[in-house]
Amino acid sequence: MTHLAGKLALDIQAGAPNNGRGQDNVGVVKKMQVGRDTYPYISPQAVRRWLRDSFPAGETVSPVLREGKGKKQQAYTKGRPDLYADDDLFGYMVAIKGSDSSCQRDTVLATGTFVSVTPQRPTSDFGTMTRGFAANDSPLIHEHEFYTAVCAGDLNLDLPRIGTFETNGQGIRVALHPQAAEEAAAAGATEAIFRGVASLVLDIAERRRRAALVLRALAALRGGAKPASHYGDRAPAFILLAPVKGGVNPFTRVLANKDGKPAFAADTFAEELAAWRDELDGAVWIGWAPGFLGDQRDRARRDLEDLITAGTVVIDHPRTILNSLAQEIEDGSHDDWFEDAKA
């Protein structure tokens, strides 16, 4: 049972990637208070939307269905993880009263909240709209917030659950309703007991493809609010992925606030690596964009030189790391990661 667990950091430069509820004519970014300090953040829902939108054009995503009116509206996807990779990876809940089509899937790709590593106070930008107005007309006034920060959050990809769907359980906890299960089995999914529950499993080639799909989409991550005025790179500036047998993420504290600036904590990383080495199922992959955090990448390579020489740690560009790992998975080099000891 192997999870790809780790950390993702986005380098936000004068951006407003995820907005909160506006106040009058003021657009505000999402932020939280910790004591007296303000920390901008990007919600996991936003990053997951960007990731889904970053899938290649040829990848068909699950259609969204909407029903009801007013406060009794609900929206849900098709709930067919056998047909749509995004339903498989991101999960869903289809709750239809009086129907045997209700089903639910917990997410396979868990994402934390992407919080600024250091306190940052957003800047307010004041603007007016006067284009096309008569000479004496009053301008329309508007205002919005933006900020510069390194926003980091945790990731955990449960590899054995990719392409594995529960077919029994209680209530809406089955991943496939009876008709969908029949159709999936007829299309080639095989029966298995997975973590004590009867399930259907897709063929290994499709499971590899879906794992690689997530990694390649992360390498090309794009999205965010206000691209007209605050367009910026949303691809990973830093990503750490470790194959961990039990799913615990030991590397959540590798980016820290040091004297008011974001820093890679090499000592913390090395100590966690040593403590959890018996639970690691391969090398730790670190993607680090050149220029991110100044000269800290070169310093980390020096500090971790022994681990890099031993092949325990790999440091390269985020795109190179993610695409290389995706290719290894797709080639079948890590098929044991999809197996589950509790099956």
Side-chain angles (χ1 to χ4, degrees):
M1 175 173 65
T2 299
H3 297 237
L4 281 177
K7 199 81 174 179
L8 170 65
L10 305 174
D11 191 13
I12 308 302
Q13 298 289 332
N18 189 205
N19 290 324
R21 180 179 292 181
Q23 301 170 358
D24 297 324
N25 64 335
V26 180
V28 299
V29 297
K30 290 186 176 179
K31 52 188 179 292
M32 65 184 191
Q33 295 296 128
V34 180
R36 295 183 178 181
D37 294 327
T38 300
Y39 291 81
Y41 72 88
I42 305 169
S43 72
Q45 180 185 10
V47 174
R48 292 162 73 84
R49 170 64 186 270
W50 302 351
L51 188 57
R52 182 186 268 106
D53 290 346
S54 299
F55 281 2
E59 186 70 32
T60 303
V61 296
S62 184
V64 175
L65 309 174
R66 182 176 176 181
E67 63 179 31
K69 295 181 179 180
K71 295 182 179 180
K72 295 185 177 181
Q73 290 187 77
Q74 59 177 344
Y76 46 85
T77 66
K78 194 75 172 176
R80 290 296 301 267
D82 54 318
L83 301 178
Y84 304 104
D86 60 325
D87 272 350
D88 183 5
L89 297 165
F90 298 117
Y92 52 83
M93 184 172 73
V94 179
I96 305 175
K97 189 175 181 180
S99 170
D100 65 355
S101 296
S102 294
C103 52
Q104 176 178 321
R105 181 166 176 78
D106 293 335
T107 187
V108 170
L109 176 66
T111 46
T113 302
F114 293 79
V115 182
S116 176
V117 176
T118 58
Q120 297 291 340
R121 184 176 298 173
T123 296
S124 293
D125 185 63
F126 177 83
T128 62
M129 171 60 180
T130 57
R131 179 166 49 87
F133 286 21
N136 294 320
D137 286 351
S138 298
L140 298 180
I141 296 172
H142 56 87
E143 189 176 348
H144 71 272
E145 294 181 333
F146 68 96
Y147 60 88
T148 292
V150 172
C151 294
D154 292 345
L155 297 176
N156 192 316
L157 181 63
D158 188 350
L159 288 164
R161 287 191 61 226
I162 296 177
T164 304
F165 317 122
E166 299 84 358
T167 55
N168 73 8
Q170 297 182 3
I172 60 174
R173 292 195 175 275
V174 294
L176 291 173
H177 59 76
Q179 182 180 345
E182 288 182 14
E183 293 174 3
T190 57
E191 295 182 355
I193 300 298
F194 180 75
R195 298 177 185 172
V197 177
S199 304
L200 288 174
V201 183
L202 300 183
D203 66 85
I204 188 62
E206 178 61 13
R207 298 173 75 197
R208 292 173 190 151
R209 189 193 73 82
R210 292 183 177 188
L213 174 69
V214 174
L215 299 175
R216 291 194 175 107
L218 275 170
L221 190 66
R222 63 185 186 276
K226 292 192 174 293
S229 52
H230 293 294
Y231 170 76
D233 182 22
R234 299 293 175 257
F238 175 96
I239 187 163
L240 183 154
L241 290 174
V244 185
K245 295 176 185 176
V248 172
N249 184 356
F251 303 111
T252 186
R253 291 170 288 275
V254 297
L255 292 176
N257 179 355
K258 184 176 182 180
D259 300 326
K261 295 182 179 181
F264 176 72
D267 291 347
T268 299
F269 170 76
E271 186 171 340
E272 293 287 10
L273 182 64
W276 290 89
R277 185 165 299 199
D278 61 319
E279 286 292 302
L280 294 178
D281 204 8
V284 177
W285 300 65
I286 299 177
W288 195 326
F292 178 63
L293 301 184
D295 64 352
Q296 290 188 45
R297 184 174 74 162
D298 292 337
R299 196 183 315 156
R301 281 180 166 148
R302 293 192 298 270
D303 292 341
L304 305 175
E305 183 177 3
D306 290 347
L307 294 170
I308 294 171
T309 301
T312 305
V313 174
V314 179
I315 299 179
D316 209 326
H317 192 283
R319 180 176 172 80
T320 303
I321 287 289
L322 289 163
N323 286 337
S324 297
L325 184 54
Q327 191 61 54
E328 288 189 11
I329 289 174
E330 213 160 30
D331 289 344
S333 299
H334 301 295
D335 281 356
D336 55 319
W337 289 356
F338 292 92
E339 298 174 3
D340 196 294
K342 295 183 180 180

